[in-house]
Amino acid sequence: MNTSSPTAKVYQGVASRQQMFRMFDRHHQRPNRWDDDAMSLYTGEWFEIGEAEHDYMFEILPPLWIRGSVFAMREFLTGSVTSVFFALRIDGSIRHFHSYCDLSDQGSVERMRVAITERESRPIRAMTRQERLEHIWSTTVDQYRDYSEENCPQSLPGRRLITIYGAAGAVQQTLLDDLTDNEIAAKLPVQLRHLPIAA
């Protein structure tokens, strides 16, 4: 039985240094931040970065380990989850990626490498619905995103909420997973709105 975490691309495009640092902790607003085990939130998340950002992270601290064009950060985010950085040749070009891997799972780094390579080797540029939602979460500033609380009438506590503007300028919080196609399109940058939806 495979109990490994699924992988999730959480940003479309190449993240700038500022975006990279912000996405290192995309879940910092979650309830009970210091009381819960957040491994499942982070494990499997990945996004593309530039070569300069990749090299900068390599030089911050001595890596925990280096395996060819892959290295792991010495400092763990939570439990056995840490940042793993890849330099991968995809379609003839070297591209750079950040991911969160659970190093207690011996196959997690290789599965991540395969998942990134397969996802980025697709001949047609497209995004899944989940990738669209993750991109929205990654790029929305903190004051327009939140988590549901214990007394939230909408759902179970701890689910992600996003602020949307309705008719006549009405403002409301909606569950991220419940955004309609039109609401998703309105939240995405123009260059991503009309990409085909991948399976």
PDB file of all heavy atoms in Angstrom, residues 116-136:
ATOM      1  N   ILE A 116       7.542  16.358 -10.620  1.00  0.00           N
ATOM      2  CA  ILE A 116       7.849  17.676 -11.201  1.00  0.00           C
ATOM      3  C   ILE A 116       8.185  17.528 -12.682  1.00  0.00           C
ATOM      4  O   ILE A 116       7.674  18.268 -13.526  1.00  0.00           O
ATOM      5  CB  ILE A 116       9.005  18.362 -10.447  1.00  0.00           C
ATOM      6  CG1 ILE A 116       8.572  18.730  -9.028  1.00  0.00           C
ATOM      7  CG2 ILE A 116       9.486  19.605 -11.199  1.00  0.00           C
ATOM      8  CD1 ILE A 116       9.710  19.224  -8.139  1.00  0.00           C
ATOM      9  N   THR A 117       9.034  16.561 -12.994  1.00  0.00           N
ATOM     10  CA  THR A 117       9.452  16.364 -14.381  1.00  0.00           C
ATOM     11  C   THR A 117       8.256  16.028 -15.265  1.00  0.00           C
ATOM     12  O   THR A 117       8.094  16.588 -16.359  1.00  0.00           O
ATOM     13  CB  THR A 117      10.520  15.258 -14.473  1.00  0.00           C
ATOM     14  OG1 THR A 117      11.639  15.623 -13.654  1.00  0.00           O
ATOM     15  CG2 THR A 117      10.991  15.061 -15.898  1.00  0.00           C
ATOM     16  N   GLU A 118       7.390  15.128 -14.797  1.00  0.00           N
ATOM     17  CA  GLU A 118       6.208  14.764 -15.587  1.00  0.00           C
ATOM     18  C   GLU A 118       5.278  15.957 -15.767  1.00  0.00           C
ATOM     19  O   GLU A 118       4.789  16.208 -16.866  1.00  0.00           O
ATOM     20  CB  GLU A 118       5.459  13.607 -14.915  1.00  0.00           C
ATOM     21  CG  GLU A 118       6.155  12.273 -15.060  1.00  0.00           C
ATOM     22  CD  GLU A 118       5.409  11.137 -14.378  1.00  0.00           C
ATOM     23  OE1 GLU A 118       4.370  11.395 -13.707  1.00  0.00           O
ATOM     24  OE2 GLU A 118       5.855   9.991 -14.509  1.00  0.00           O
ATOM     25  N   ARG A 119       5.050  16.706 -14.692  1.00  0.00           N
ATOM     26  CA  ARG A 119       4.121  17.844 -14.772  1.00  0.00           C
ATOM     27  C   ARG A 119       4.658  18.927 -15.713  1.00  0.00           C
ATOM     28  O   ARG A 119       3.915  19.494 -16.506  1.00  0.00           O
ATOM     29  CB  ARG A 119       3.901  18.419 -13.363  1.00  0.00           C
ATOM     30  CG  ARG A 119       3.155  19.756 -13.322  1.00  0.00           C
ATOM     31  CD  ARG A 119       1.750  19.617 -13.870  1.00  0.00           C
ATOM     32  NE  ARG A 119       1.040  20.889 -13.924  1.00  0.00           N
ATOM     33  CZ  ARG A 119       1.071  21.739 -14.943  1.00  0.00           C
ATOM     34  NH1 ARG A 119       1.813  21.482 -16.020  1.00  0.00           N
ATOM     35  NH2 ARG A 119       0.365  22.850 -14.922  1.00  0.00           N
ATOM     36  N   GLU A 120       5.946  19.198 -15.653  1.00  0.00           N
ATOM     37  CA  GLU A 120       6.524  20.283 -16.439  1.00  0.00           C
ATOM     38  C   GLU A 120       6.890  19.864 -17.855  1.00  0.00           C
ATOM     39  O   GLU A 120       7.267  20.708 -18.666  1.00  0.00           O
ATOM     40  CB  GLU A 120       7.734  20.862 -15.716  1.00  0.00           C
ATOM     41  CG  GLU A 120       7.372  21.536 -14.400  1.00  0.00           C
ATOM     42  CD  GLU A 120       6.337  22.628 -14.566  1.00  0.00           C
ATOM     43  OE1 GLU A 120       6.602  23.600 -15.314  1.00  0.00           O
ATOM     44  OE2 GLU A 120       5.251  22.526 -13.961  1.00  0.00           O
ATOM     45  N   SER A 121       6.764  18.585 -18.176  1.00  0.00           N
ATOM     46  CA  SER A 121       7.055  18.105 -19.525  1.00  0.00           C
ATOM     47  C   SER A 121       5.816  18.019 -20.402  1.00  0.00           C
ATOM     48  O   SER A 121       5.900  17.595 -21.548  1.00  0.00           O
ATOM     49  CB  SER A 121       7.719  16.718 -19.458  1.00  0.00           C
ATOM     50  OG  SER A 121       8.955  16.806 -18.786  1.00  0.00           O
ATOM     51  N   ARG A 122       4.665  18.413 -19.874  1.00  0.00           N
ATOM     52  CA  ARG A 122       3.439  18.366 -20.673  1.00  0.00           C
ATOM     53  C   ARG A 122       3.582  19.259 -21.899  1.00  0.00           C
ATOM     54  O   ARG A 122       4.050  20.390 -21.795  1.00  0.00           O
ATOM     55  CB  ARG A 122       2.251  18.847 -19.843  1.00  0.00           C
ATOM     56  CG  ARG A 122       1.864  17.906 -18.733  1.00  0.00           C
ATOM     57  CD  ARG A 122       0.654  18.441 -17.993  1.00  0.00           C
ATOM     58  NE  ARG A 122       0.375  17.636 -16.822  1.00  0.00           N
ATOM     59  CZ  ARG A 122      -0.442  18.010 -15.852  1.00  0.00           C
ATOM     60  NH1 ARG A 122      -1.061  19.184 -15.926  1.00  0.00           N
ATOM     61  NH2 ARG A 122      -0.652  17.237 -14.832  1.00  0.00           N
ATOM     62  N   PRO A 123       3.153  18.776 -23.058  1.00  0.00           N
ATOM     63  CA  PRO A 123       3.321  19.579 -24.280  1.00  0.00           C
ATOM     64  C   PRO A 123       2.421  20.803 -24.337  1.00  0.00           C
ATOM     65  O   PRO A 123       2.751  21.781 -24.968  1.00  0.00           O
ATOM     66  CB  PRO A 123       2.975  18.591 -25.395  1.00  0.00           C
ATOM     67  CG  PRO A 123       2.128  17.546 -24.739  1.00  0.00           C
ATOM     68  CD  PRO A 123       2.601  17.453 -23.313  1.00  0.00           C
ATOM     69  N   ILE A 124       1.275  20.754 -23.667  1.00  0.00           N
ATOM     70  CA  ILE A 124       0.339  21.881 -23.704  1.00  0.00           C
ATOM     71  C   ILE A 124       0.305  22.524 -22.329  1.00  0.00           C
ATOM     72  O   ILE A 124       0.162  21.851 -21.313  1.00  0.00           O
ATOM     73  CB  ILE A 124      -1.080  21.402 -24.084  1.00  0.00           C
ATOM     74  CG1 ILE A 124      -1.066  20.781 -25.472  1.00  0.00           C
ATOM     75  CG2 ILE A 124      -2.077  22.548 -24.005  1.00  0.00           C
ATOM     76  CD1 ILE A 124      -2.358  20.130 -25.871  1.00  0.00           C
ATOM     77  N   ARG A 125       0.429  23.843 -22.301  1.00  0.00           N
ATOM     78  CA  ARG A 125       0.375  24.566 -21.031  1.00  0.00           C
ATOM     79  C   ARG A 125      -1.075  24.558 -20.546  1.00  0.00           C
ATOM     80  O   ARG A 125      -1.972  25.069 -21.214  1.00  0.00           O
ATOM     81  CB  ARG A 125       0.867  25.995 -21.233  1.00  0.00           C
ATOM     82  CG  ARG A 125       1.088  26.726 -19.953  1.00  0.00           C
ATOM     83  CD  ARG A 125       1.861  28.003 -20.215  1.00  0.00           C
ATOM     84  NE  ARG A 125       1.910  28.757 -18.982  1.00  0.00           N
ATOM     85  CZ  ARG A 125       1.608  30.039 -18.883  1.00  0.00           C
ATOM     86  NH1 ARG A 125       1.268  30.725 -19.948  1.00  0.00           N
ATOM     87  NH2 ARG A 125       1.664  30.645 -17.727  1.00  0.00           N
ATOM     88  N   ALA A 126      -1.299  23.973 -19.373  1.00  0.00           N
ATOM     89  CA  ALA A 126      -2.640  23.887 -18.809  1.00  0.00           C
ATOM     90  C   ALA A 126      -2.516  23.817 -17.295  1.00  0.00           C
ATOM     91  O   ALA A 126      -1.435  23.560 -16.756  1.00  0.00           O
ATOM     92  CB  ALA A 126      -3.365  22.657 -19.340  1.00  0.00           C
ATOM     93  N   MET A 127      -3.622  24.063 -16.601  1.00  0.00           N
ATOM     94  CA  MET A 127      -3.647  23.993 -15.145  1.00  0.00           C
ATOM     95  C   MET A 127      -4.868  23.196 -14.714  1.00  0.00           C
ATOM     96  O   MET A 127      -5.949  23.338 -15.284  1.00  0.00           O
ATOM     97  CB  MET A 127      -3.747  25.402 -14.529  1.00  0.00           C
ATOM     98  CG  MET A 127      -2.552  26.285 -14.741  1.00  0.00           C
ATOM     99  SD  MET A 127      -2.878  27.993 -14.154  1.00  0.00           S
ATOM    100  CE  MET A 127      -2.866  27.761 -12.377  1.00  0.00           C
ATOM    101  N   THR A 128      -4.704  22.386 -13.692  1.00  0.00           N
ATOM    102  CA  THR A 128      -5.851  21.699 -13.111  1.00  0.00           C
ATOM    103  C   THR A 128      -6.635  22.687 -12.254  1.00  0.00           C
ATOM    104  O   THR A 128      -6.130  23.771 -11.907  1.00  0.00           O
ATOM    105  CB  THR A 128      -5.409  20.518 -12.226  1.00  0.00           C
ATOM    106  OG1 THR A 128      -4.685  21.037 -11.096  1.00  0.00           O
ATOM    107  CG2 THR A 128      -4.541  19.527 -12.991  1.00  0.00           C
ATOM    108  N   ARG A 129      -7.848  22.327 -11.897  1.00  0.00           N
ATOM    109  CA  ARG A 129      -8.632  23.173 -10.980  1.00  0.00           C
ATOM    110  C   ARG A 129      -7.878  23.359  -9.669  1.00  0.00           C
ATOM    111  O   ARG A 129      -7.810  24.460  -9.135  1.00  0.00           O
ATOM    112  CB  ARG A 129     -10.010  22.555 -10.736  1.00  0.00           C
ATOM    113  CG  ARG A 129     -10.823  23.331  -9.697  1.00  0.00           C
ATOM    114  CD  ARG A 129     -12.199  22.705  -9.447  1.00  0.00           C
ATOM    115  NE  ARG A 129     -12.814  23.279  -8.270  1.00  0.00           N
ATOM    116  CZ  ARG A 129     -13.472  24.431  -8.248  1.00  0.00           C
ATOM    117  NH1 ARG A 129     -13.609  25.131  -9.366  1.00  0.00           N
ATOM    118  NH2 ARG A 129     -13.996  24.897  -7.129  1.00  0.00           N
ATOM    119  N   GLN A 130      -7.287  22.273  -9.146  1.00  0.00           N
ATOM    120  CA  GLN A 130      -6.582  22.378  -7.866  1.00  0.00           C
ATOM    121  C   GLN A 130      -5.369  23.299  -7.981  1.00  0.00           C
ATOM    122  O   GLN A 130      -5.074  24.069  -7.067  1.00  0.00           O
ATOM    123  CB  GLN A 130      -6.163  20.982  -7.362  1.00  0.00           C
ATOM    124  CG  GLN A 130      -5.747  20.976  -5.905  1.00  0.00           C
ATOM    125  CD  GLN A 130      -6.850  21.468  -4.970  1.00  0.00           C
ATOM    126  OE1 GLN A 130      -8.014  21.144  -5.139  1.00  0.00           O
ATOM    127  NE2 GLN A 130      -6.472  22.279  -3.989  1.00  0.00           N
ATOM    128  N   GLU A 131      -4.650  23.248  -9.094  1.00  0.00           N
ATOM    129  CA  GLU A 131      -3.518  24.158  -9.294  1.00  0.00           C
ATOM    130  C   GLU A 131      -3.981  25.613  -9.335  1.00  0.00           C
ATOM    131  O   GLU A 131      -3.301  26.504  -8.822  1.00  0.00           O
ATOM    132  CB  GLU A 131      -2.774  23.797 -10.581  1.00  0.00           C
ATOM    133  CG  GLU A 131      -1.950  22.535 -10.460  1.00  0.00           C
ATOM    134  CD  GLU A 131      -1.359  22.075 -11.778  1.00  0.00           C
ATOM    135  OE1 GLU A 131      -1.747  22.602 -12.849  1.00  0.00           O
ATOM    136  OE2 GLU A 131      -0.505  21.170 -11.750  1.00  0.00           O
ATOM    137  N   ARG A 132      -5.142  25.847  -9.919  1.00  0.00           N
ATOM    138  CA  ARG A 132      -5.689  27.206  -9.952  1.00  0.00           C
ATOM    139  C   ARG A 132      -5.988  27.689  -8.532  1.00  0.00           C
ATOM    140  O   ARG A 132      -5.662  28.824  -8.167  1.00  0.00           O
ATOM    141  CB  ARG A 132      -6.954  27.255 -10.811  1.00  0.00           C
ATOM    142  CG  ARG A 132      -6.683  27.033 -12.285  1.00  0.00           C
ATOM    143  CD  ARG A 132      -7.974  26.748 -13.066  1.00  0.00           C
ATOM    144  NE  ARG A 132      -7.655  26.141 -14.335  1.00  0.00           N
ATOM    145  CZ  ARG A 132      -7.586  26.789 -15.487  1.00  0.00           C
ATOM    146  NH1 ARG A 132      -7.835  28.067 -15.559  1.00  0.00           N
ATOM    147  NH2 ARG A 132      -7.269  26.153 -16.595  1.00  0.00           N
ATOM    148  N   LEU A 133      -6.611  26.815  -7.727  1.00  0.00           N
ATOM    149  CA  LEU A 133      -6.926  27.181  -6.347  1.00  0.00           C
ATOM    150  C   LEU A 133      -5.660  27.416  -5.536  1.00  0.00           C
ATOM    151  O   LEU A 133      -5.568  28.373  -4.749  1.00  0.00           O
ATOM    152  CB  LEU A 133      -7.788  26.094  -5.697  1.00  0.00           C
ATOM    153  CG  LEU A 133      -9.196  25.907  -6.284  1.00  0.00           C
ATOM    154  CD1 LEU A 133      -9.896  24.738  -5.610  1.00  0.00           C
ATOM    155  CD2 LEU A 133     -10.019  27.180  -6.177  1.00  0.00           C
ATOM    156  N   GLU A 134      -4.656  26.564  -5.715  1.00  0.00           N
ATOM    157  CA  GLU A 134      -3.402  26.731  -4.960  1.00  0.00           C
ATOM    158  C   GLU A 134      -2.680  28.009  -5.374  1.00  0.00           C
ATOM    159  O   GLU A 134      -2.080  28.689  -4.541  1.00  0.00           O
ATOM    160  CB  GLU A 134      -2.499  25.508  -5.143  1.00  0.00           C
ATOM    161  CG  GLU A 134      -3.051  24.221  -4.560  1.00  0.00           C
ATOM    162  CD  GLU A 134      -3.365  24.286  -3.076  1.00  0.00           C
ATOM    163  OE1 GLU A 134      -2.789  25.131  -2.359  1.00  0.00           O
ATOM    164  OE2 GLU A 134      -4.211  23.497  -2.621  1.00  0.00           O
ATOM    165  N   HIS A 135      -2.728  28.339  -6.656  1.00  0.00           N
ATOM    166  CA  HIS A 135      -2.107  29.582  -7.117  1.00  0.00           C
ATOM    167  C   HIS A 135      -2.808  30.783  -6.472  1.00  0.00           C
ATOM    168  O   HIS A 135      -2.153  31.725  -6.020  1.00  0.00           O
ATOM    169  CB  HIS A 135      -2.160  29.693  -8.639  1.00  0.00           C
ATOM    170  CG  HIS A 135      -1.454  30.895  -9.165  1.00  0.00           C
ATOM    171  ND1 HIS A 135      -0.111  30.888  -9.479  1.00  0.00           N
ATOM    172  CD2 HIS A 135      -1.888  32.162  -9.403  1.00  0.00           C
ATOM    173  CE1 HIS A 135       0.249  32.090  -9.895  1.00  0.00           C
ATOM    174  NE2 HIS A 135      -0.820  32.888  -9.859  1.00  0.00           N
ATOM    175  N   ILE A 136      -4.126  30.742  -6.423  1.00  0.00           N
ATOM    176  CA  ILE A 136      -4.880  31.820  -5.783  1.00  0.00           C
ATOM    177  C   ILE A 136      -4.483  31.939  -4.319  1.00  0.00           C
ATOM    178  O   ILE A 136      -4.222  33.033  -3.816  1.00  0.00           O
ATOM    179  CB  ILE A 136      -6.406  31.588  -5.949  1.00  0.00           C
ATOM    180  CG1 ILE A 136      -6.806  31.803  -7.412  1.00  0.00           C
ATOM    181  CG2 ILE A 136      -7.209  32.490  -5.008  1.00  0.00           C
ATOM    182  CD1 ILE A 136      -8.203  31.327  -7.751  1.00  0.00           C
TER     183      ILE A 136
END
